[in-house]
Amino acid sequence: MSTSMSVSVSAAASSSLPPLARRRSPPASRVPFRSLRSLPRLLSSARTLLRPAAAMATDGAAPAASSKRGLLIFEAEEDLAESLAMYTAELSEKFAAERGAFTVVVSGGSLIKALRKLAEPPYLETVDWSKWHVFWVDERVVPKDHADSNYKLAYDGLLSKVPIPAGQVYAINDALSAEGAADDYETILRQLVKNGVLAMSAATGFPKFDVMLLGMGPDGHIASLFPGHPLVNEKQKWVAHITDSPKPPPERITFTFPVINSSAYVAMVVIGAGKAGAVQKALSDKKTSDLLPVEMAVLQDGEFTWFADQEAVSMVRN
């Protein structure tokens, strides 16, 4: 298998960056992004580690040869946030030019805080926000103004600060039951596929979002896909509902693994020592039968990149 995971340590910025990316470069361990224009030149490499993709295939099916995995390690959360903003802005420019739309999936938790730099110069002025279409990888079935709402978290932390058209922000219908909200959200996605806003993956037959910006829980859960829960094995639905979430609130909707694994790009943001155990297991070459949900996130034809601080990778060897 030619797919690999690449990790490298890097430090200095290049003056040849295009205007969008010409910013102070954060100190980080980074992976080369061969499909992006300026990110490969952002930092100079000092150490590189290549790992076989076979070690990352966790669901019984190996990823496609064009799938890539990488790890970026940052000394400070501020530097992580800066690079995450640049990564997202570069993808926005790429897909807006290629498709005329940029489909972005976000999660809740600390991820939204890590995206804060997008609402600051230069991105606030240079990103073409009119092309953005925003979705949630999971949502709690609560009113949109509820403290547990991922929509409220994203609105307060980012969406209220950037000029994305309101009709291109796809919140759940919180007046419906969990099952009804999941079915309704999948119906919206299917219509957007018909309209050409949302791409379909030729490799999987599921929708192909341009980028998913995700976080991970200390137990290794992603979206509302929890360790040991039957939903991790869902293979048909695009959006599923859950009424017995082990983490409150119990009623939620969530994208399924076939949708997550059909993405073009995934950024997995992990910050803090509380995530170290799950990160260590996910990045280990030694796979066990008790897979964490994050280990089941294996893209079929895309690029999966970890954005981590040093505490989150403190248990990872090499």
Side-chain angles (χ1 to χ4, degrees):
M1 184 67 65
S2 63
T3 314
S4 61
M5 178 167 180
S6 176
V7 185
S8 61
V9 177
S10 34
S14 167
S15 61
S16 61
L17 297 179
L20 182 61
R22 194 174 295 136
R23 304 200 64 189
R24 175 179 64 87
S25 77
S29 303
R30 67 160 295 108
V31 59
F33 290 83
R34 284 166 286 183
S35 62
L36 298 183
R37 188 177 68 247
S38 63
L39 284 176
R41 304 190 299 261
L42 174 60
L43 302 173
S44 59
S45 276
R47 176 172 66 88
T48 301
L49 170 67
L50 297 179
R51 301 175 66 185
M56 301 297 167
T58 59
D59 62 354
S66 57
S67 181
K68 308 177 187 72
R69 292 175 74 90
L71 170 65
L72 291 83
I73 304 169
F74 297 86
E75 294 180 1
E77 189 275 342
E78 182 77 4
D79 298 324
L80 184 154
E82 185 122 6
S83 281
L84 184 62
M86 183 179 294
Y87 168 92
T88 307
E90 286 286 334
L91 288 175
S92 174
E93 184 178 18
K94 165 185 166 64
F95 285 105
E98 292 177 359
R99 302 182 50 246
F102 182 45
T103 54
V104 184
V105 178
V106 298
S107 65
S110 60
L111 181 277
I112 299 301
K113 180 182 177 183
L115 291 174
R116 65 187 181 277
K117 296 290 185 180
L118 285 168
E120 301 174 5
Y123 307 111
L124 182 60
E125 295 85 8
T126 57
V127 167
D128 187 352
W129 299 103
S130 69
K131 299 297 193 294
W132 279 48
H133 294 258
V134 179
F135 307 83
W136 278 263
V137 72
D138 72 325
E139 179 59 285
R140 292 84 178 271
V141 184
V142 295
K144 292 182 182 66
D145 59 355
H146 193 281
D148 288 332
S149 168
N150 283 341
Y151 169 84
K152 174 176 170 54
L153 181 66
Y155 181 83
D156 291 346
L158 177 65
L159 300 180
S160 63
K161 303 173 183 179
V162 295
I164 301 171
Q168 293 169 201
V169 175
Y170 303 93
I172 70 166
N173 184 341
D174 57 11
L176 301 176
S177 66
E179 183 176 10
D183 291 344
D184 180 69
Y185 211 72
E186 182 166 328
T187 298
I188 291 172
L189 300 186
R190 291 183 179 276
Q191 186 59 51
L192 290 171
V193 169
K194 290 181 180 179
N195 294 347
V197 171
L198 181 56
M200 286 288 283
S201 169
T204 68
F206 284 87
K208 185 172 186 174
F209 288 92
D210 296 331
V211 67
M212 291 199 181
L213 305 170
L214 306 180
M216 179 196 74
D219 60 354
H221 85 267
I222 61 173
S224 282
L225 300 167
F226 294 91
H229 195 279
L231 274 187
V232 301
N233 299 313
E234 173 60 48
K235 296 292 193 291
Q236 302 299 322
K237 293 181 179 180
W238 295 10
V239 185
H241 74 284
I242 178 172
T243 58
D244 58 349
S245 168
K247 180 181 178 181
E251 295 194 350
R252 302 162 174 238
I253 73 166
T254 183
F255 284 4
T256 60
F257 273 118
V259 174
I260 293 171
N261 290 341
S262 297
S263 305
Y265 292 84
V266 168
M268 182 63 65
V269 179
V270 287
I271 299 170
K275 311 290 178 71
V279 170
Q280 188 276 332
K281 188 175 187 304
L283 296 181
S284 173
D285 288 336
K286 299 178 181 179
K287 294 302 175 185
T288 61
S289 59
D290 58 333
L291 295 175
L292 298 177
V294 71
E295 295 180 88
M296 301 174 71
V298 180
L299 303 190
Q300 290 301 305
D301 184 16
E303 294 190 17
F304 186 109
T305 304
W306 292 83
F307 284 72
D309 69 355
Q310 291 185 335
E311 289 187 345
V313 296
S314 60
M315 297 176 64
V316 178
R317 295 185 177 182
N318 298 323

PDB file of all heavy atoms in Angstrom, residues 71 73 218 272-284 308-318:
ATOM      1  N   LEU A  71       0.491  14.070  10.859  1.00  0.00           N
ATOM      2  CA  LEU A  71       0.436  14.561  12.230  1.00  0.00           C
ATOM      3  C   LEU A  71       1.209  15.862  12.344  1.00  0.00           C
ATOM      4  O   LEU A  71       2.355  15.952  11.907  1.00  0.00           O
ATOM      5  CB  LEU A  71       1.043  13.514  13.179  1.00  0.00           C
ATOM      6  CG  LEU A  71       1.301  13.925  14.631  1.00  0.00           C
ATOM      7  CD1 LEU A  71      -0.021  14.216  15.337  1.00  0.00           C
ATOM      8  CD2 LEU A  71       2.069  12.814  15.347  1.00  0.00           C
ATOM      9  N   ILE A  73       2.340  18.639  15.320  1.00  0.00           N
ATOM     10  CA  ILE A  73       2.436  18.821  16.761  1.00  0.00           C
ATOM     11  C   ILE A  73       2.887  20.249  17.045  1.00  0.00           C
ATOM     12  O   ILE A  73       3.892  20.700  16.500  1.00  0.00           O
ATOM     13  CB  ILE A  73       3.435  17.828  17.383  1.00  0.00           C
ATOM     14  CG1 ILE A  73       3.054  16.392  17.020  1.00  0.00           C
ATOM     15  CG2 ILE A  73       3.475  17.998  18.901  1.00  0.00           C
ATOM     16  CD1 ILE A  73       4.124  15.384  17.356  1.00  0.00           C
ATOM     17  N   PRO A 218     -12.025  12.358  25.285  1.00  0.00           N
ATOM     18  CA  PRO A 218     -10.992  11.585  25.992  1.00  0.00           C
ATOM     19  C   PRO A 218     -11.166  10.078  25.846  1.00  0.00           C
ATOM     20  O   PRO A 218     -10.193   9.325  25.960  1.00  0.00           O
ATOM     21  CB  PRO A 218     -11.168  12.018  27.451  1.00  0.00           C
ATOM     22  CG  PRO A 218     -11.800  13.368  27.371  1.00  0.00           C
ATOM     23  CD  PRO A 218     -12.712  13.307  26.183  1.00  0.00           C
ATOM     24  N   GLY A 272      -4.568  18.891  24.898  1.00  0.00           N
ATOM     25  CA  GLY A 272      -4.571  18.599  26.319  1.00  0.00           C
ATOM     26  C   GLY A 272      -4.227  17.163  26.669  1.00  0.00           C
ATOM     27  O   GLY A 272      -4.427  16.231  25.878  1.00  0.00           O
ATOM     28  N   ALA A 273      -3.709  16.987  27.875  1.00  0.00           N
ATOM     29  CA  ALA A 273      -3.268  15.684  28.354  1.00  0.00           C
ATOM     30  C   ALA A 273      -4.425  14.697  28.492  1.00  0.00           C
ATOM     31  O   ALA A 273      -4.205  13.479  28.456  1.00  0.00           O
ATOM     32  CB  ALA A 273      -2.549  15.840  29.691  1.00  0.00           C
ATOM     33  N   GLY A 274      -5.627  15.198  28.656  1.00  0.00           N
ATOM     34  CA  GLY A 274      -6.777  14.318  28.789  1.00  0.00           C
ATOM     35  C   GLY A 274      -7.042  13.480  27.548  1.00  0.00           C
ATOM     36  O   GLY A 274      -7.728  12.450  27.626  1.00  0.00           O
ATOM     37  N   LYS A 275      -6.508  13.899  26.401  1.00  0.00           N
ATOM     38  CA  LYS A 275      -6.692  13.157  25.154  1.00  0.00           C
ATOM     39  C   LYS A 275      -5.526  12.198  24.865  1.00  0.00           C
ATOM     40  O   LYS A 275      -5.567  11.457  23.890  1.00  0.00           O
ATOM     41  CB  LYS A 275      -6.815  14.144  23.975  1.00  0.00           C
ATOM     42  CG  LYS A 275      -7.802  15.289  24.177  1.00  0.00           C
ATOM     43  CD  LYS A 275      -9.225  14.807  24.182  1.00  0.00           C
ATOM     44  CE  LYS A 275     -10.217  15.941  24.421  1.00  0.00           C
ATOM     45  NZ  LYS A 275     -10.345  16.861  23.297  1.00  0.00           N
ATOM     46  N   ALA A 276      -4.486  12.232  25.704  1.00  0.00           N
ATOM     47  CA  ALA A 276      -3.232  11.540  25.386  1.00  0.00           C
ATOM     48  C   ALA A 276      -3.404  10.030  25.241  1.00  0.00           C
ATOM     49  O   ALA A 276      -2.800   9.417  24.355  1.00  0.00           O
ATOM     50  CB  ALA A 276      -2.176  11.856  26.449  1.00  0.00           C
ATOM     51  N   GLY A 277      -4.203   9.404  26.098  1.00  0.00           N
ATOM     52  CA  GLY A 277      -4.380   7.963  26.023  1.00  0.00           C
ATOM     53  C   GLY A 277      -5.021   7.527  24.727  1.00  0.00           C
ATOM     54  O   GLY A 277      -4.573   6.572  24.078  1.00  0.00           O
ATOM     55  N   ALA A 278      -6.084   8.224  24.330  1.00  0.00           N
ATOM     56  CA  ALA A 278      -6.772   7.886  23.086  1.00  0.00           C
ATOM     57  C   ALA A 278      -5.893   8.178  21.876  1.00  0.00           C
ATOM     58  O   ALA A 278      -5.889   7.424  20.897  1.00  0.00           O
ATOM     59  CB  ALA A 278      -8.086   8.658  22.988  1.00  0.00           C
ATOM     60  N   VAL A 279      -5.128   9.281  21.923  1.00  0.00           N
ATOM     61  CA  VAL A 279      -4.231   9.610  20.818  1.00  0.00           C
ATOM     62  C   VAL A 279      -3.156   8.532  20.679  1.00  0.00           C
ATOM     63  O   VAL A 279      -2.840   8.083  19.565  1.00  0.00           O
ATOM     64  CB  VAL A 279      -3.580  10.991  21.028  1.00  0.00           C
ATOM     65  CG1 VAL A 279      -2.467  11.224  20.002  1.00  0.00           C
ATOM     66  CG2 VAL A 279      -4.630  12.092  20.922  1.00  0.00           C
ATOM     67  N   GLN A 280      -2.600   8.102  21.824  1.00  0.00           N
ATOM     68  CA  GLN A 280      -1.570   7.063  21.778  1.00  0.00           C
ATOM     69  C   GLN A 280      -2.108   5.789  21.136  1.00  0.00           C
ATOM     70  O   GLN A 280      -1.449   5.175  20.290  1.00  0.00           O
ATOM     71  CB  GLN A 280      -1.073   6.780  23.199  1.00  0.00           C
ATOM     72  CG  GLN A 280       0.136   5.843  23.262  1.00  0.00           C
ATOM     73  CD  GLN A 280      -0.233   4.376  23.226  1.00  0.00           C
ATOM     74  OE1 GLN A 280      -1.329   4.004  23.659  1.00  0.00           O
ATOM     75  NE2 GLN A 280       0.650   3.548  22.705  1.00  0.00           N
ATOM     76  N   LYS A 281      -3.299   5.377  21.497  1.00  0.00           N
ATOM     77  CA  LYS A 281      -3.879   4.160  20.922  1.00  0.00           C
ATOM     78  C   LYS A 281      -4.167   4.336  19.438  1.00  0.00           C
ATOM     79  O   LYS A 281      -3.925   3.438  18.629  1.00  0.00           O
ATOM     80  CB  LYS A 281      -5.153   3.780  21.674  1.00  0.00           C
ATOM     81  CG  LYS A 281      -5.718   2.415  21.283  1.00  0.00           C
ATOM     82  CD  LYS A 281      -6.904   2.047  22.156  1.00  0.00           C
ATOM     83  CE  LYS A 281      -7.361   0.611  21.885  1.00  0.00           C
ATOM     84  NZ  LYS A 281      -7.687   0.323  20.483  1.00  0.00           N
ATOM     85  N   ALA A 282      -4.679   5.495  19.067  1.00  0.00           N
ATOM     86  CA  ALA A 282      -5.028   5.743  17.670  1.00  0.00           C
ATOM     87  C   ALA A 282      -3.801   5.758  16.765  1.00  0.00           C
ATOM     88  O   ALA A 282      -3.865   5.326  15.608  1.00  0.00           O
ATOM     89  CB  ALA A 282      -5.792   7.058  17.547  1.00  0.00           C
ATOM     90  N   LEU A 283      -2.679   6.253  17.271  1.00  0.00           N
ATOM     91  CA  LEU A 283      -1.484   6.380  16.449  1.00  0.00           C
ATOM     92  C   LEU A 283      -0.558   5.173  16.537  1.00  0.00           C
ATOM     93  O   LEU A 283       0.434   5.099  15.805  1.00  0.00           O
ATOM     94  CB  LEU A 283      -0.701   7.644  16.845  1.00  0.00           C
ATOM     95  CG  LEU A 283      -1.410   8.969  16.601  1.00  0.00           C
ATOM     96  CD1 LEU A 283      -0.524  10.132  17.013  1.00  0.00           C
ATOM     97  CD2 LEU A 283      -1.824   9.104  15.146  1.00  0.00           C
ATOM     98  N   SER A 284      -0.883   4.227  17.395  1.00  0.00           N
ATOM     99  CA  SER A 284      -0.043   3.050  17.541  1.00  0.00           C
ATOM    100  C   SER A 284      -0.160   2.129  16.337  1.00  0.00           C
ATOM    101  O   SER A 284      -1.231   1.991  15.725  1.00  0.00           O
ATOM    102  CB  SER A 284      -0.444   2.282  18.806  1.00  0.00           C
ATOM    103  OG  SER A 284       0.251   1.057  18.886  1.00  0.00           O
ATOM    104  N   ALA A 308      -2.309  18.567  16.857  1.00  0.00           N
ATOM    105  CA  ALA A 308      -2.187  18.218  18.263  1.00  0.00           C
ATOM    106  C   ALA A 308      -1.206  19.127  18.983  1.00  0.00           C
ATOM    107  O   ALA A 308      -0.212  19.577  18.398  1.00  0.00           O
ATOM    108  CB  ALA A 308      -1.721  16.766  18.403  1.00  0.00           C
ATOM    109  N   ASP A 309      -1.470  19.380  20.262  1.00  0.00           N
ATOM    110  CA  ASP A 309      -0.452  20.043  21.070  1.00  0.00           C
ATOM    111  C   ASP A 309       0.427  18.967  21.710  1.00  0.00           C
ATOM    112  O   ASP A 309       0.149  17.766  21.608  1.00  0.00           O
ATOM    113  CB  ASP A 309      -1.072  20.995  22.092  1.00  0.00           C
ATOM    114  CG  ASP A 309      -1.833  20.287  23.212  1.00  0.00           C
ATOM    115  OD1 ASP A 309      -1.971  19.044  23.167  1.00  0.00           O
ATOM    116  OD2 ASP A 309      -2.293  20.976  24.140  1.00  0.00           O
ATOM    117  N   GLN A 310       1.495  19.392  22.355  1.00  0.00           N
ATOM    118  CA  GLN A 310       2.454  18.430  22.885  1.00  0.00           C
ATOM    119  C   GLN A 310       1.864  17.571  23.999  1.00  0.00           C
ATOM    120  O   GLN A 310       2.218  16.396  24.142  1.00  0.00           O
ATOM    121  CB  GLN A 310       3.703  19.167  23.373  1.00  0.00           C
ATOM    122  CG  GLN A 310       4.507  19.760  22.235  1.00  0.00           C
ATOM    123  CD  GLN A 310       5.816  20.387  22.708  1.00  0.00           C
ATOM    124  OE1 GLN A 310       5.947  20.797  23.862  1.00  0.00           O
ATOM    125  NE2 GLN A 310       6.782  20.482  21.793  1.00  0.00           N
ATOM    126  N   GLU A 311       0.952  18.113  24.773  1.00  0.00           N
ATOM    127  CA  GLU A 311       0.336  17.327  25.840  1.00  0.00           C
ATOM    128  C   GLU A 311      -0.497  16.196  25.263  1.00  0.00           C
ATOM    129  O   GLU A 311      -0.530  15.101  25.821  1.00  0.00           O
ATOM    130  CB  GLU A 311      -0.526  18.222  26.731  1.00  0.00           C
ATOM    131  CG  GLU A 311       0.272  19.173  27.611  1.00  0.00           C
ATOM    132  CD  GLU A 311      -0.616  19.913  28.594  1.00  0.00           C
ATOM    133  OE1 GLU A 311      -1.858  19.901  28.395  1.00  0.00           O
ATOM    134  OE2 GLU A 311      -0.103  20.480  29.560  1.00  0.00           O
ATOM    135  N   ALA A 312      -1.185  16.445  24.164  1.00  0.00           N
ATOM    136  CA  ALA A 312      -2.046  15.416  23.581  1.00  0.00           C
ATOM    137  C   ALA A 312      -1.257  14.232  23.031  1.00  0.00           C
ATOM    138  O   ALA A 312      -1.773  13.125  22.944  1.00  0.00           O
ATOM    139  CB  ALA A 312      -2.911  16.028  22.475  1.00  0.00           C
ATOM    140  N   VAL A 313       0.005  14.468  22.642  1.00  0.00           N
ATOM    141  CA  VAL A 313       0.833  13.378  22.114  1.00  0.00           C
ATOM    142  C   VAL A 313       1.893  12.933  23.111  1.00  0.00           C
ATOM    143  O   VAL A 313       2.851  12.259  22.750  1.00  0.00           O
ATOM    144  CB  VAL A 313       1.499  13.775  20.774  1.00  0.00           C
ATOM    145  CG1 VAL A 313       0.448  14.008  19.707  1.00  0.00           C
ATOM    146  CG2 VAL A 313       2.377  15.002  20.947  1.00  0.00           C
ATOM    147  N   SER A 314       1.720  13.283  24.367  1.00  0.00           N
ATOM    148  CA  SER A 314       2.749  13.014  25.374  1.00  0.00           C
ATOM    149  C   SER A 314       2.963  11.524  25.628  1.00  0.00           C
ATOM    150  O   SER A 314       4.025  11.134  26.126  1.00  0.00           O
ATOM    151  CB  SER A 314       2.380  13.712  26.688  1.00  0.00           C
ATOM    152  OG  SER A 314       1.113  13.238  27.178  1.00  0.00           O
ATOM    153  N   MET A 315       2.007  10.676  25.260  1.00  0.00           N
ATOM    154  CA  MET A 315       2.159   9.236  25.456  1.00  0.00           C
ATOM    155  C   MET A 315       2.579   8.515  24.190  1.00  0.00           C
ATOM    156  O   MET A 315       2.754   7.290  24.193  1.00  0.00           O
ATOM    157  CB  MET A 315       0.843   8.643  25.989  1.00  0.00           C
ATOM    158  CG  MET A 315       0.440   9.164  27.352  1.00  0.00           C
ATOM    159  SD  MET A 315      -1.186   8.519  27.895  1.00  0.00           S
ATOM    160  CE  MET A 315      -0.815   6.761  28.030  1.00  0.00           C
ATOM    161  N   VAL A 316       2.746   9.254  23.113  1.00  0.00           N
ATOM    162  CA  VAL A 316       3.131   8.645  21.835  1.00  0.00           C
ATOM    163  C   VAL A 316       4.636   8.513  21.770  1.00  0.00           C
ATOM    164  O   VAL A 316       5.358   9.491  21.963  1.00  0.00           O
ATOM    165  CB  VAL A 316       2.625   9.480  20.649  1.00  0.00           C
ATOM    166  CG1 VAL A 316       3.077   8.863  19.329  1.00  0.00           C
ATOM    167  CG2 VAL A 316       1.104   9.585  20.687  1.00  0.00           C
ATOM    168  N   ARG A 317       5.121   7.324  21.478  1.00  0.00           N
ATOM    169  CA  ARG A 317       6.564   7.112  21.337  1.00  0.00           C
ATOM    170  C   ARG A 317       6.987   7.421  19.905  1.00  0.00           C
ATOM    171  O   ARG A 317       6.218   7.365  18.970  1.00  0.00           O
ATOM    172  CB  ARG A 317       6.934   5.671  21.670  1.00  0.00           C
ATOM    173  CG  ARG A 317       6.669   5.300  23.134  1.00  0.00           C
ATOM    174  CD  ARG A 317       7.158   3.899  23.436  1.00  0.00           C
ATOM    175  NE  ARG A 317       6.965   3.563  24.838  1.00  0.00           N
ATOM    176  CZ  ARG A 317       7.335   2.412  25.384  1.00  0.00           C
ATOM    177  NH1 ARG A 317       7.935   1.497  24.656  1.00  0.00           N
ATOM    178  NH2 ARG A 317       7.125   2.186  26.669  1.00  0.00           N
ATOM    179  N   ASN A 318       8.285   7.726  19.742  1.00  0.00           N
ATOM    180  CA  ASN A 318       8.852   8.035  18.421  1.00  0.00           C
ATOM    181  C   ASN A 318       8.193   9.253  17.804  1.00  0.00           C
ATOM    182  O   ASN A 318       7.934   9.247  16.612  1.00  0.00           O
ATOM    183  CB  ASN A 318       8.694   6.841  17.462  1.00  0.00           C
ATOM    184  CG  ASN A 318       9.450   5.628  17.970  1.00  0.00           C
ATOM    185  OD1 ASN A 318      10.530   5.754  18.538  1.00  0.00           O
ATOM    186  ND2 ASN A 318       8.867   4.459  17.800  1.00  0.00           N
TER     187      ASN A 318
END
